[in-house]
Amino acid sequence: MEDRSEEDCVQENGRSDETNNKPSGSPCTSLKMFLVALSFAYFAKALSGSYMKSTITQLERRFDIPSYLIGVIDGSFEIGNLLVIAFVSYFGAKLHRPKIISLGCLLMSFGTFIIALPHFIIGRYEFETSVRWMMNSTHNSSPCQGDSAGDQPGISPQVPSTGCEGESNLSMWIYVLLGNVLRGIGETPVQPLGISYIDDFATEENAALYVGCVQTISVVGPVFGYLLGSLCAKIYVDIGFVKMDTITITPADARWVGAWWLGYLIAGVITLLSAIPFWFLPRSLPTAGSRVQKMGTQEEASFIKDTPHPKYKYQAEEHSSFVEMAKDFLPTLRTLLGHPVYVIYLCVVVIQLNSLIGMVTYKPKYIEQHFRQSASKANFLMGVINIPAVALGMFSGGLLMKRLKLNIMGAAKFAFCTSLIGYVLSMFFFTMSCENAKVAGVTVSYSNVDSVSYDKHSLFMPCNSDCFCSSSEWDPVCGQNGITYVSPCLAGCNTSTGSGKNTVFSNCSCVGVTGNFTAGTGQCLNKEDCDRMFPYFLALSVITSFIISLGGTPGYMFLIRCIKPQLKSLALGFHALATRTLAGIPAPIYFGAIIDTTCLKWGQKRCGGIGACRIYNTSAYRIAYLGLTLSLRTVSFIICIPGFILLSRQLKEEERKSVLHGALTNGGTELEVLRKEEFVVLNSDQAMHTTDNSTDRHTQL
């Protein structure tokens, strides 16, 4: 009974063992195990990748680095991938593919752990503050003292403090960069070797279903990645090592750093677990060739052999040596790059991916800075709203393409129209704006007059001239008048009562004329205009994400169908190489650099030098971020115009050749029939002539 069920499972998958020996494991079971393992590996790599994007602001603040360096770190994953993709794709297929994938998962896990390593090296996080936690304290020292700035509590000195030499020699963010490069190297074999393994050992009708299952699971990964980022952003970075009662800032503060390292440890463990099943899977499963020979008749085998391949299938040439393939590579590549429709399509995709990658990378940061939301809430909304909308759009696009039976021109028009509609809707983001936060001396003057031409000298006014304050610190307090001041000292506060988050600063000369006004810790939460606009922003964001992603599947099918079948593999490979090199790596870097130009107030590192940005010019940030995104897409639409013209000419030329070829084929067939009839007649005449001669010869005898 057990042997019978195993035989049914083998036949169900179109596989049969060529030998009479009982296989060590059922091919059906092994293939399903591989499918489950690969789905889990896709989930793990998608989770860690999306978690990296969710920790952008946390890493900026923890390591005191600008946004463009975060872009370098984010792009380092693609760099690691490109370093080994050619070797893995070529040599990996000739080796034990499941074990190569397992090694890749182990390397991804190791890289993820390295990213979290700096947390355990650099010590506790210290942020700028003049507030001290003092048990049973009712009266603290005055923030505004007529003494040197270096003696004031909470004032960062202008010279590097002692103990900085060792830290300044090596920036800890380099470990994050190195870990992300290792993640990129480890991720390389998962997709090409995993998909090829399924394609080799699954039946043709099941292969597409299996690949679809894997891709679906990979969409779930980013949802959990952003949710994990949301959870960790709520937890203080040094949780478990400090008393939370002594922390005087909240998750809404620009100095807050969440437990970014905790998510990487969790992602590393999940990736490590995904490596285990591959180690126990076979190098190969029984092939399907023997089934045709054993179970089918000679006529069936001949019919299967002679069945024409689908239009876009291409059977690779056999008996091709490596030297022959190498010699043929450059001419083939030249032929591919000489295809004008493919080249234009590639340019359009690269430009649009620059826009998409830059937008997605910094979207949580945009929500934080522009709409004054916490990092936790921004990540939660990305995971729960945006990512599912994109997944639904891609699925719906493929379904619509099947229902509408779109040809190559139809797929191109569909992708163009969805992208254009999303582009038009995205313009409405410019109208969804918030005012700059009112920060005295930064965005407004001390007299509450709008002024965003920030200069450090604008922080000093007669009301705080006797306080000897530092202009480099960021320790905001909210005045009773609704204006935020960079520090209690710059607010001219003379006394303070309470401790921790409950500290109240009194007699603040800059807050009111009489000097009897108070200020509380933290930035003022004047965001009524943002709260009204934010739901509309979310709704429009979901709609545009869905519409733009509708064209994803038709656009990819256009890539496959716009070229000759012989060039398909090379076209897909070159497409992946170009998009990673020209979009995946540079987009986060220059997007981050442009965002940095909108910073109004930089933080200062403990050891000297500028750190992470504390406050941005909201209007400039919106124009730079959205303007760059839409400008790139505008360029891509302009390039599409000659692309459609060339595609139309190509289709007309192919149609003309097809008609001509059909006419020649029909004519050739008729000619062949005539030749066969003539051949039969000649044979008949010859046979009759031979018979007559034989009869005469017999008569003579």
Side-chain angles (χ1 to χ4, degrees), residues 588-659:
I589 299 175
Y590 66 77
F591 261 82
I594 290 177
I595 289 173
D596 284 338
T597 62
T598 66
C599 183
L600 290 175
K601 181 73 172 66
W602 291 95
Q604 185 169 1
K605 294 182 180 180
R606 186 166 58 90
C607 299
I610 64 170
C613 184
R614 299 304 188 191
I615 185 170
Y616 291 87
N617 182 346
T618 302
S619 300
Y621 192 125
R622 182 179 70 256
I623 294 171
Y625 175 74
L626 297 177
L628 181 58
T629 301
L630 294 179
S631 296
L632 289 169
R633 290 168 64 184
T634 302
V635 174
S636 70
F637 289 138
I638 295 173
I639 299 176
C640 282
I641 297 174
F644 275 111
I645 296 173
L646 292 172
L647 177 62
S648 179
R649 291 179 181 176
Q650 175 183 321
L651 293 177
K652 289 180 181 179
E653 183 68 18
E654 289 180 357
E655 185 178 354
R656 187 183 65 81
K657 289 181 179 180
S658 178
V659 172

Side-chain angles (χ1 to χ4, degrees), residues 314-380:
Y314 174 67
Q315 196 170 17
E317 296 181 4
E318 298 180 356
H319 311 297
S320 297
S321 66
F322 178 76
V323 177
E324 291 174 349
M325 288 189 294
K327 289 181 178 179
D328 192 48
F329 175 74
L330 287 179
T332 306
L333 181 62
R334 192 180 300 113
T335 302
L336 177 66
L337 297 181
H339 195 295
V341 175
Y342 174 78
V343 172
I344 289 178
Y345 171 82
L346 196 61
C347 292
V348 171
V349 169
V350 166
I351 294 173
Q352 290 216 347
L353 278 180
N354 270 272
S355 173
L356 178 65
I357 292 172
M359 184 265 293
V360 171
T361 301
Y362 293 100
K363 191 167 188 177
K365 182 181 175 74
Y366 179 76
I367 293 175
E368 289 179 53
Q369 299 295 332
H370 192 273
F371 293 99
R372 302 170 203 165
Q373 305 294 327
S374 66
S376 176
K377 187 174 182 180
N379 290 327
F380 177 81

Side-chain angles (χ1 to χ4, degrees), residues 383-413:
V384 173
I385 297 179
N386 272 75
I387 302 299
V390 171
L392 181 62
M394 294 180 66
F395 175 78
S396 301
L399 190 63
L400 284 173
M401 187 175 182
K402 181 180 179 180
R403 290 285 178 88
L404 299 175
K405 298 179 181 179
L406 299 177
N407 56 13
I408 182 173
M409 179 60 84
K413 290 180 178 178

Side-chain angles (χ1 to χ4, degrees), residues 5-17 23 26-28:
S5 63
E6 182 178 304
E7 181 181 351
D8 293 340
C9 190
V10 172
Q11 291 180 358
E12 181 185 7
N13 284 276
R15 304 289 180 262
S16 179
D17 209 11
S26 169
C28 174

Side-chain angles (χ1 to χ4, degrees), residues 33 64 136 161 170 198 231 255 259 287 323-324 351 408 411-412 482 521 525 648 674 685:
M33 281 184 61
D64 277 325
N136 300 322
S161 60
L170 179 63
I198 291 176
L231 176 64
R255 295 164 293 173
T287 57
V323 177
E324 291 174 349
I351 294 173
I408 182 173
T521 57
L525 301 178
S648 179
L674 291 174
D685 292 342

Side-chain angles (χ1 to χ4, degrees), residues 130-334:
S130 59
V131 179
R132 294 291 181 263
W133 174 258
M134 300 177 67
M135 295 297 294
N136 300 322
S137 173
T138 59
H139 182 79
N140 296 334
S141 58
S142 171
C144 177
Q145 295 179 352
D147 198 352
S148 63
D151 296 333
Q152 295 181 48
I155 299 299
S156 300
Q158 300 301 321
V159 294
S161 60
T162 58
C164 286
E165 292 78 9
E167 184 178 341
S168 61
N169 289 336
L170 179 63
S171 298
M172 291 294 107
W173 61 267
I174 292 178
Y175 287 98
V176 182
L177 178 73
L178 176 61
N180 212 32
V181 170
L182 291 178
R183 277 189 58 248
I185 294 174
E187 188 267 350
T188 306
V190 176
Q191 181 173 353
L193 301 188
I195 298 301
S196 66
Y197 192 92
I198 291 176
D199 190 56
D200 286 346
F201 302 118
T203 57
E204 186 174 352
E205 61 270 16
N206 287 338
L209 175 64
Y210 292 160
V211 173
C213 291
V214 172
Q215 297 291 351
T216 302
I217 295 296
S218 68
V219 175
V220 179
V223 175
F224 282 87
Y226 278 107
L227 291 179
L228 180 61
S230 174
L231 176 64
C232 293
K234 289 181 180 179
I235 305 171
Y236 185 66
V237 61
D238 291 323
I239 185 72
F241 297 96
V242 298
K243 293 182 179 180
M244 291 306 298
D245 292 338
T246 64
I247 304 303
T248 60
I249 56 176
T250 64
D253 198 289
R255 295 164 293 173
W256 176 271
V257 175
W260 60 273
W261 53 274
L262 181 59
Y264 286 112
L265 293 182
I266 296 173
V269 171
I270 293 174
T271 310
L272 182 63
L273 292 175
S274 71
I276 298 175
F278 292 106
W279 204 258
F280 301 99
L281 290 167
R283 176 172 182 171
S284 61
L285 298 174
T287 57
S290 57
R291 188 184 182 196
V292 175
Q293 296 173 5
K294 289 184 178 182
M295 300 178 63
T297 62
Q298 183 176 0
E299 289 82 8
E300 289 173 338
S302 176
F303 174 76
I304 293 173
K305 181 178 180 181
D306 296 336
T307 299
H309 293 279
K311 183 177 180 181
Y312 298 107
K313 295 280 186 181
Y314 174 67
Q315 196 170 17
E317 296 181 4
E318 298 180 356
H319 311 297
S320 297
S321 66
F322 178 76
V323 177
E324 291 174 349
M325 288 189 294
K327 289 181 178 179
D328 192 48
F329 175 74
L330 287 179
T332 306
L333 181 62
R334 192 180 300 113

